[in-house]
Amino acid sequence: MPPGCRLMAVVKANAYGHGAFETAVCLEQIGVTSFAVATIDEGIALRRWGIRGDILILGFTDPSRAKELHRYRLIQTLIDAPYAKRLARQGYIIRSHIKIDTGMHRLGFGVNERSEILRTVRSRNLNVCGIYTHLCAADSLLEDDVKFTRRQTEVFFELLEWLKEQEVTIPDIHIQSSYGLLNYPELGCSYVRAGISLYGVLSAPDDTTRLRPDLRPVLSLRSQVVLIREIKAGEHVGYGRMYEAVRDSRIAILPIGYADGIPRNLSCGKGEVLIRGCRVPIAGRVSMDQLAVDITDIPDAAVGDVATLIGRDGQEELLAADEAARSGSITNELLSRITARVVIRTQT
Ligand SMILES: *Cc1c(COP(=O)(O)O)cnc(C)c1O
């Protein structure tokens, strides 16, 4: 990050499946003082776990919960002008960041709603300590997308210039999430809101970025072999009899399924698992709580063997980005869908 720029650690969605508690506590211990979440309840959970740093809520909070925003010292994103007005009327002094829509057209004040923005910055109940925008094509290095992104940052900085002319002291500013930092590292902001890169991965396997820091995945996902059975050629495994043994086969059952976050789209050999350092295909359909793998080619595989769904085992490694791509998605979705049923073990 440029000098003077600080990390805002995005720990929404249970820290992208990594465990918000484990992640936030670890980050606070190593000196991170700013966090972002999607919802007020995620923010309150961080406070209850003892996180003392700044916590920005990136999404909507019902104004009826203003008291909790105040009590838990959470920073609320002001998603548009009517929302800011409603929140200001609740009668609590609430720290806030104004979000500006510079082209994504999701949350934010229109970049041209200058008088509304000025009024909000001056509001007594909304203690505006930040102003930010979000890029929607920062992951792309295509000329047209780069042009669009540059335009987004330009109009944002033009707005800040105008606010300065109105004698507003510019609060903290932030624009970049992970790809914003990796492709536009030169933007001088107060914060980078890093999510996916913080967890040591990119969204897709073939993404190229201008900055290429040494990212290493934080997370491995492991299960174990709980049962091995032999089936005859012509027999089937799992729902819909989708796997048919072409030879006498050995099948291992793992107690992990789509309710743990393994995409059902990885059924029938689309996904692989590592056992004893070997890649083996998922046999048949992933069910809610289990899946089967064909271990015919690892004769020494045994009940109790570790099964790696994401991560390294010996010489082999299954990357979250590859698994995500095979399931038709991105790493962000794959990881954030790992559910609370999966036990988190931290390593130092
Ligand atoms: C989720 C989110 C981020 C983090 O994005 P990554 O691409 O995971 O780094 C940043 N800003 C906003 C507004 C978000 O919603």
Side-chain angles (χ1 to χ4, degrees):
M1 296 187 293
C5 180
R6 285 164 290 169
L7 171 68
M8 184 187 295
V10 181
V11 294
K12 63 188 176 186
N14 199 27
Y16 293 48
H18 292 64
F21 170 75
E22 291 80 357
T23 304
V25 166
C26 167
L27 290 171
E28 194 159 75
Q29 275 170 2
I30 61 174
V32 173
T33 57
S34 183
F35 299 87
V37 293
T39 68
I40 184 174
D41 294 307
E42 291 178 333
I44 292 172
L46 291 185
R47 285 283 182 248
R48 293 204 169 136
W49 295 327
I51 299 298
R52 286 164 310 173
D54 284 345
I55 301 173
L56 172 65
I57 300 169
L58 297 167
F60 168 84
T61 300
D62 196 292
S64 68
R65 302 190 70 181
K67 187 177 180 181
E68 291 165 279
L69 290 172
H70 176 79
R71 170 147 67 118
Y72 290 99
R73 291 175 298 107
L74 302 170
I75 305 171
Q76 176 58 44
T77 293
L78 305 174
I79 64 170
D80 69 357
Y83 178 79
K85 237 185 231 165
R86 280 172 67 204
L87 194 60
R89 277 204 303 263
Q90 304 299 313
Y92 294 92
I93 293 180
I94 291 163
R95 287 176 74 195
S96 61
H97 284 199
I98 298 186
K99 186 163 193 186
I100 307 297
D101 174 18
T102 54
M104 179 152 185
H105 298 332
R106 201 173 57 179
L107 300 183
F109 287 62
V111 72
N112 296 320
E113 294 180 83
R114 289 185 165 180
S115 56
E116 288 86 347
I117 293 166
L118 187 60
R119 203 174 313 129
T120 306
V121 173
R122 289 176 171 161
S123 155
R124 206 165 316 127
N125 278 353
L126 302 174
N127 172 11
V128 175
C129 51
I131 182 163
Y132 74 102
T133 191
H134 194 45
L135 305 174
C136 50
D139 57 335
S140 165
L141 294 175
L142 296 177
E143 196 186 324
D144 202 42
D145 289 326
V146 171
K147 218 190 248 170
F148 186 87
T149 303
R150 295 229 179 272
R151 190 71 201 131
Q152 280 193 278
T153 62
E154 262 167 39
V155 297
F156 181 70
F157 282 116
E158 280 165 19
L159 170 67
L160 297 185
E161 281 310 312
W162 180 82
L163 285 170
K164 271 185 219 164
E165 285 163 20
Q166 313 310 307
E167 287 167 6
V168 169
T169 310
I170 301 301
D172 286 335
I173 59 171
H174 43 108
I175 300 175
Q176 301 133 298
S177 52
S178 294
Y179 282 84
L181 172 66
L182 297 175
N183 286 328
Y184 303 88
E186 65 284 350
L187 297 173
C189 290
S190 322
Y191 290 105
V192 163
R193 303 184 303 269
I196 196 68
S197 58
L198 187 65
Y199 304 101
V201 291
L202 293 179
S203 295
D206 302 325
D207 279 342
T208 52
T209 51
R210 284 176 53 215
L211 275 193
R212 289 188 201 155
D214 177 21
L215 294 181
R216 297 180 215 168
V218 169
L219 173 147
S220 302
L221 179 60
R222 302 190 203 276
S223 184
Q224 60 171 328
V225 174
V226 294
L227 180 154
I228 292 177
R229 70 169 70 252
E230 319 257 338
I231 62 166
K232 294 263 173 271
E235 291 187 318
H236 301 87
V237 176
Y239 284 120
R241 305 162 66 231
M242 296 298 285
Y243 175 88
E244 180 174 327
V246 293
R247 53 180 171 171
D248 291 355
S249 301
R250 289 176 82 225
I251 299 295
I253 305 301
L254 315 180
I256 188 166
Y258 60 76
D260 301 289
I262 307 301
R264 190 166 172 277
N265 273 347
L266 292 178
S267 294
C268 302
K270 262 211 200 167
E272 292 177 320
V273 172
L274 302 180
I275 294 173
R276 298 203 176 210
C278 302
R279 283 172 184 262
V280 289
I282 293 179
R285 285 204 180 125
V286 174
S287 0
M288 186 181 281
D289 320 304
Q290 17 251 324
L291 59 83
V293 290
D294 182 342
I295 54 161
T296 315
D297 294 328
I298 352 177
D300 53 348
V303 166
D305 280 0
V306 171
T308 300
L309 293 109
I310 297 171
R312 177 170 283 286
D313 179 5
Q315 299 302 307
E316 290 283 356
E317 185 171 17
L318 294 176
L319 296 173
D322 290 330
E323 294 298 299
R326 284 191 224 184
S327 75
S329 186
I330 56 172
T331 319
N332 313 44
E333 184 183 2
L334 179 80
L335 296 177
S336 65
R337 281 173 170 258
I338 295 175
T339 62
R341 201 161 75 174
V342 175
V343 177
I344 296 165
R345 299 218 178 91
T346 53
Q347 281 179 329
T348 43

